[in-house]
Amino acid sequence: MSISVAEKRPAARERILATADELFRVHGLRGVGIDRIIAESGVAKSTLYAHFPSKDELIEAYLVKADERWRGYLRQAAIAAGSDPKEQLVGLFDAVDDAYRRHQLYGCPFINAAAESEPGSRAHAATLQHKKAVREWVRFLAEGAGADDPVGLATSITLLIDGALAAERLEQDPALPAAAKATARVLVDAACR
């Protein structure tokens, strides 16, 4: 049985999101217009608007997808570090190191979106929700690691992750994730005696 061309081609919604992901990552949310997304995804304007009635809704969907992907990378890095929650907290920085290669030094989609969005916008709300969810999960790991102050450690670790990801775009130094990981080791060892 042969597969038709239509069956091989991703659905319009997925093509739109994949195109938006690439363009927003490289050029920013404001640097990409709907017409460019339509042209590069190969869909009709009516098709784009059937899936995403506004650019804000497309941006929100892009950030939701990025959230799922990034939290998956963090979980994979934690699991790869072993069963000890202390090692998992430090192992999160392997996801940061991978992000440097994966993002091609364009930085964190959420930090970039936060810099371009107004408080109260869909992009800002999606970014804030993502950051809170990551911090809450890291707090859970910190509790499992026996941290004296799991909230404080989670805050420190997530700020260190965000700082390393922001530096990715600014400094473009691939040695920074290792420095962040070494700093995380010091924080975890001090907080989890």
Side-chain angles (χ1 to χ4, degrees):
M1 178 163 128
S2 67
I3 297 174
S4 71
V5 173
E7 290 174 317
K8 291 180 184 177
R9 190 170 189 191
R13 179 180 170 80
E14 292 309 309
R15 287 197 323 271
I16 294 165
L17 275 172
T19 302
D21 182 75
E22 177 67 21
L23 293 173
F24 289 154
R25 185 175 52 80
V26 174
H27 303 289
L29 304 178
R30 293 183 185 166
V32 178
I34 288 295
D35 289 338
R36 184 166 181 192
I37 293 169
I38 290 167
E40 293 196 24
S41 65
V43 300
K45 186 178 268 192
S46 60
T47 301
L48 183 134
Y49 284 115
H51 291 287
F52 305 101
S54 69
K55 184 178 177 185
D56 286 343
E57 290 181 53
L58 175 58
I59 289 169
E60 182 180 33
Y62 151 73
L63 290 171
V64 166
K65 194 167 184 109
D67 168 65
E68 292 167 359
R69 191 172 46 236
W70 178 239
R71 288 201 284 157
Y73 292 144
L74 288 173
R75 278 188 214 95
Q76 289 171 1
I79 290 167
S83 61
D84 181 355
K86 286 174 62 175
E87 292 305 315
Q88 291 178 344
L89 287 165
V90 175
L92 296 176
F93 290 84
D94 292 335
V96 174
D97 188 48
D98 288 344
Y100 267 58
R101 287 187 294 278
R102 200 174 42 257
H103 292 162
Q104 299 173 331
L105 303 176
Y106 290 112
C108 171
F110 299 98
I111 294 170
N112 296 343
E116 290 190 67
S117 62
E118 296 293 324
S121 68
R122 287 176 180 252
H124 187 265
T127 297
L128 190 58
Q129 183 177 357
H130 164 77
K131 293 299 179 185
K132 285 181 178 180
V134 170
R135 187 166 291 158
E136 179 60 23
W137 179 68
V138 174
R139 181 202 53 79
F140 173 78
L141 290 178
E143 282 179 355
D148 295 329
D149 177 10
V151 172
L153 181 57
T155 299
S156 296
I157 293 290
T158 55
L159 287 173
L160 189 56
I161 289 170
D162 286 346
L165 292 172
E168 172 188 9
R169 184 163 187 128
L170 180 65
E171 297 181 47
Q172 300 194 357
D173 181 351
L176 292 176
K181 185 175 183 176
T183 303
R185 169 74 62 202
V186 171
L187 289 171
V188 170
D189 287 346
C192 305
R193 298 174 190 195

